[in-house]
Amino acid sequence: MRLEQKGLTVWFTGLSGAGKTTISCVVENELRSQGYKVEVLDGDVLRQCLTKGLGFSKEDRDENIRRIGYVANLLVRNDVIVLVSVISPYRQIRTEMRRDMADFVEVYVNAPLEICEQRDTKGLYKKARAGEIKNFTGIDDPYEPPLFPEVTCNTHQETIAESAGKVLRKMEELGYYLPLMYSQNGSNLQASDIF
Ligand code: ADP
């Protein structure tokens, strides 16, 4: 375990299929392998427990985010790094999260709607286009991109490792992540040497 670890929320926002879960998973594995305490709060998973019963109106989406933010805060004050992976389409509630959290990094996981729709990792775009799902972000519900995210991952142009590397480098730059890796001659390696 890292004694020097500081709590942080890394907030991944973006369309369904943009790459939030994929990138947060790579970042999680990297941090764990380096001895950090990490938790992932994934919107799809939490909607089956913590936020079960909430729908997709603006009010319910905001409530979903507030509950997730509450849990993130509890973890962060116990020095855990929390990777929040939720569409979180509304700028105002994300701003509220930033305001309420001392340690906060926003990652805009960006890919054009056409690409997310081609990927259709969960088959949801097809259903939304067929009218089987209502209020689907990007189709018949808005997505408001962040104006000043700390990191932007353009997942249609980057490899998964490049996108995850951007997040880790920002964490390193801000002092939340210090990779402990040594090259064969014993010198310190930085995240930028790996990704
Ligand atoms: P989300 O969690 O945002 O709904 P997923 O992570 O479930 O999205 O799906 C993203 C898809 O995009 C995956 O199939 C992943 O392999 C692919 N992908 C391609 N390039 C990238 C990248 N640079 N970062 C993240 N995902 C990528």
Side-chain angles (χ1 to χ4, degrees):
M1 202 191 94
R2 295 297 196 103
L3 292 175
E4 78 278 15
Q5 172 164 353
K6 274 195 287 180
L8 169 70
T9 300
V10 183
W11 195 282
F12 296 84
T13 172
L15 293 173
S16 175
K20 300 178 297 298
T21 301
T22 305
I23 299 169
S24 57
C25 188
V26 174
V27 171
E28 178 194 14
N29 289 339
E30 179 59 23
L31 292 172
R32 271 195 211 290
S33 76
Q34 294 273 333
Y36 287 88
K37 285 184 291 178
V38 194
E39 283 296 340
V40 173
L41 300 179
D42 190 292
D44 291 339
V45 176
L46 294 178
R47 276 187 177 273
Q48 292 165 32
C49 45
L50 181 73
T51 60
K52 193 171 178 173
L54 292 176
F56 292 89
S57 64
K58 180 169 188 306
E59 293 68 29
D60 276 12
R61 286 178 186 270
D62 284 353
E63 178 60 21
N64 181 46
I65 297 308
R66 283 201 185 92
R67 288 191 203 173
I68 294 171
Y70 181 84
V71 175
N73 247 330
L74 293 181
L75 291 163
V76 167
R77 74 180 194 213
N78 284 286
D79 302 322
V80 176
I81 295 174
V82 184
L83 309 176
V84 176
S85 173
V86 279
I87 297 173
S88 42
Y90 294 107
R91 202 174 279 142
Q92 192 188 339
I93 191 82
R94 294 196 309 266
T95 304
E96 207 177 286
M97 294 297 110
R98 181 188 286 280
R99 190 196 62 204
D100 293 347
M101 297 190 199
D103 302 272
F104 186 87
V105 164
E106 189 174 33
V107 179
Y108 176 29
V109 183
N110 176 45
L113 176 65
E114 309 80 74
I115 301 287
C116 296
E117 208 168 342
Q118 271 168 31
R119 289 178 180 160
D120 207 3
T121 43
K122 297 153 212 158
L124 295 175
Y125 282 99
K126 196 160 170 262
K127 287 189 180 165
R129 287 288 185 202
E132 290 165 30
I133 305 177
K134 300 285 178 214
N135 299 109
F136 195 75
T137 304
I139 305 294
D140 57 353
D141 226 38
Y143 179 77
E144 300 170 355
L147 298 177
F148 304 108
E150 278 78 5
V151 181
T152 298
C153 298
N154 295 305
T155 67
H156 54 304
Q157 295 166 337
E158 299 164 6
T159 64
I160 294 170
E162 280 168 345
S163 297
K166 278 185 171 179
V167 177
L168 288 164
R169 270 199 301 282
K170 177 54 73 178
M171 290 175 62
E172 188 179 353
E173 186 189 310
L174 296 174
Y176 293 97
Y177 170 57
L178 181 69
L180 281 184
M181 288 194 185
Y182 299 94
S183 64
Q184 285 181 339
N185 66 14
S187 63
N188 253 323
L189 279 176
Q190 303 300 306
S192 51
D193 298 323
I194 303 158
F195 291 98

